[in-house]
Amino acid sequence: MTDRIIRISDRHRTKPLPGGGFNAPPAGAGKDALGRSLRDLRISVTDRCNFRCIYCMPRDVFGPDYPFLPRKELLSFEEIARLARIFRALGVEKIRLTGGEPLLRKNLERLIELLADISDIDLTLTTNGSLLAKKARLLKSAGLKRVTVSLDSLDERTFRMMNDADYPVAEVLAGIDAAAAAGLAPVKINMVVKRGVNEDSIVPMARHFRGSGHIVRFIEYMDVGASNGWRMDEVVPSAEVVRTIAATMPLEPIGPNYPGEVAERWRHKDGSGEIGVISSVTQAFCRSCTRARLSTEGMLYTCLFATAGYDLRALLRGGSPDGEIAGAIARIWQARADRYSEIRTAETAGARKIEMSYIGG
Ligand code: SAM
């Protein structure tokens, strides 16, 4: 237990920012060491959450004494928007707000307005849905395009056990309805599948959302962070998920919407919609990974499984001009050689990684 807490305090480990001083702003981020471009940015707007999902923020680690970031450590909306503009100029096309639970960040719609003002940016958000029924219309009118809602089961007992906050299914479903009614569609629904916990929920979930226009994506349980006690035998491979659903609802594969899409798409043969599977453990997609991640306090991570990040906030608050920050990001990107999921072993799974609630899922 103590060991787990000490390891979480590693979240502040930083790598030195690349040197090079002030240059003319680069035309783009260029390619990383494995030939990948920078296209997506995930921004964590808070490290706090009102759920304690057993695979993400287990209550015995994220308890009442857990040292969440104090307010002054958080990037302000203006700082986030400034970085987002710099990332856009470097080639980022899509921004996803996440956390923690992003809807817990006060006045989030103000940040959305600032980000929606950036030209040609696809702006989305991932949420546990608990506040969505209240906020969907506000988010839409601020300029949000779509949402992804996490929901691990339709079974009341299983869902409450997994969110460990006694949160009912009905309120998340109401959030999904409100999002669709507000035009934040198509709504994607993320279900993390953990062996022995919610496998029974796979088929009911696929059946419930068939014909709704929403897209359920079944996610392999990952060894993110160091607190969830991950074991390979708790992963339900996506191939098994597809087989299980197809046994009663015939499916056929369909191509990706765009190169590098993380979900593998399947369509119901009767035309009643599609599902997706995200196989980050059994079929790693590092080769096409175009994502960077910005933590709540402005650390840049080039992989979900990173052990340290680059302190962009130091540049922002140290008075660096945009061109210098862009130059630093481009050099960080060009040095990027991460491919954690491809080289995962039982040993690396236990390494000191950054928690997902902090780095942003
Ligand atoms: N609070 C928001 C939510 O619930 O969607 C956003 C943050 S959450 C960290 C983002 C996504 O990461 C959720 O869909 C969650 O289920 C997923 N996630 C968290 N831990 C995971 C793990 N160990 N393996 C796979 N997915 C995980």
Side-chain angles (χ1 to χ4, degrees):
M1 174 65 194
T2 316
D3 183 41
R4 284 164 86 183
I5 289 172
I6 289 167
R7 291 163 78 165
I8 287 162
S9 70
D10 279 347
R11 69 183 177 194
H12 298 292
R13 287 172 63 199
T14 56
K15 292 191 199 178
L17 287 159
F22 179 74
N23 294 318
K31 303 261 189 204
D32 75 3
L34 301 176
R36 301 165 294 190
S37 303
L38 172 59
R39 293 272 174 263
D40 310 84
L41 180 65
R42 299 215 171 166
I43 303 176
S44 172
V45 294
T46 175
D47 60 340
R48 292 165 198 259
C49 191
N50 51 344
F51 284 16
R52 285 292 176 271
C53 296
I54 51 172
Y55 53 79
C56 186
M57 294 182 76
R59 198 171 275 287
D60 64 340
V61 177
F62 295 87
D65 299 330
Y66 185 79
F68 288 104
L69 291 169
R71 238 201 118 56
K72 66 175 184 351
E73 300 283 333
L74 274 49
L75 289 188
S76 68
F77 290 163
E78 288 68 26
E79 287 172 326
I80 293 174
R82 183 175 165 210
L83 282 179
R85 280 182 192 282
I86 294 172
F87 274 98
R88 174 73 195 101
L90 288 170
V92 162
E93 294 164 353
K94 180 170 170 184
I95 290 180
R96 176 176 297 280
L97 300 180
T98 177
E101 172 46 43
L103 299 186
L104 287 183
R105 179 90 186 243
K106 232 172 147 188
N107 303 323
L108 188 74
E109 54 285 357
R110 262 199 46 230
L111 173 65
I112 290 173
E113 274 168 12
L114 295 176
L115 298 177
D117 207 33
I118 301 174
S119 64
D120 293 325
I121 204 84
D122 185 18
L123 186 59
T124 72
L125 173 147
T126 302
T127 172
N128 62 25
S130 59
L131 299 169
L132 199 50
K134 248 188 249 154
K135 297 208 166 171
R137 282 178 53 194
L138 199 58
L139 297 171
K140 174 69 182 177
S141 52
L144 190 69
K145 303 226 165 100
R146 278 172 289 105
V147 285
T148 298
V149 181
S150 304
L151 178 60
D152 293 328
S153 182
L154 291 167
D155 176 71
E156 202 60 47
R157 226 177 54 105
T158 309
F159 183 56
R160 285 182 198 242
M161 188 269 284
M162 288 184 83
N163 70 51
D164 202 14
D166 218 19
Y167 206 83
V169 175
E171 290 189 33
V172 180
L173 292 178
I176 293 171
D177 288 347
L184 294 166
V187 179
K188 289 183 183 154
I189 296 153
N190 279 356
M191 168 175 166
V192 175
V193 186
K194 194 170 172 195
R195 173 89 65 206
V197 177
N198 63 340
E199 286 155 287
D200 290 357
S201 303
I202 295 171
V203 170
M205 195 80 151
R207 185 166 291 129
H208 180 87
F209 288 106
R210 190 159 70 144
S212 68
H214 309 326
I215 303 167
V216 183
R217 291 142 21 120
F218 299 88
I219 304 180
E220 287 178 351
Y221 168 49
M222 291 185 285
D223 53 324
V224 282
S227 67
N228 67 7
W230 182 87
R231 291 201 333 253
M232 184 67 202
D233 60 5
E234 292 169 330
V235 178
V236 178
S238 291
E240 186 180 324
V241 170
V242 171
R243 257 195 329 270
T244 307
I245 298 171
T248 49
M249 289 169 271
L251 295 171
E252 60 193 4
I254 40 177
N257 284 309
Y258 52 87
E261 187 172 27
V262 295
E264 184 188 292
R265 301 169 65 210
W266 293 79
R267 142 172 85 205
H268 290 286
K269 278 191 178 165
D270 65 1
S272 58
E274 70 174 83
I275 61 143
V277 287
I278 301 183
S279 323
S280 23
V281 178
T282 62
Q283 273 180 284
F285 36 79
C286 303
R287 223 155 291 185
S288 57
C289 178
T290 53
R291 268 176 300 286
R293 294 180 139 84
L294 185 64
S295 80
T296 315
E297 55 181 339
M299 302 278 287
L300 176 64
Y301 294 91
T302 55
C303 179
L304 178 57
F305 300 95
T307 50
Y310 300 89
D311 189 358
L312 296 187
R313 192 185 63 186
L315 295 179
L316 286 173
R317 296 191 181 168
S320 297
D322 285 4
E324 191 175 316
I325 298 175
I329 296 169
R331 286 192 292 274
I332 290 166
W333 187 260
Q334 286 158 23
R336 174 187 191 244
D338 307 87
R339 53 186 200 94
Y340 175 85
S341 291
E342 287 180 353
I343 54 174
R344 170 189 288 112
T345 62
E347 249 157 63
T348 58
R352 301 168 159 218
K353 296 180 254 79
I354 309 296
E355 293 300 318
M356 194 157 175
S357 52
Y358 164 76
I359 198 174

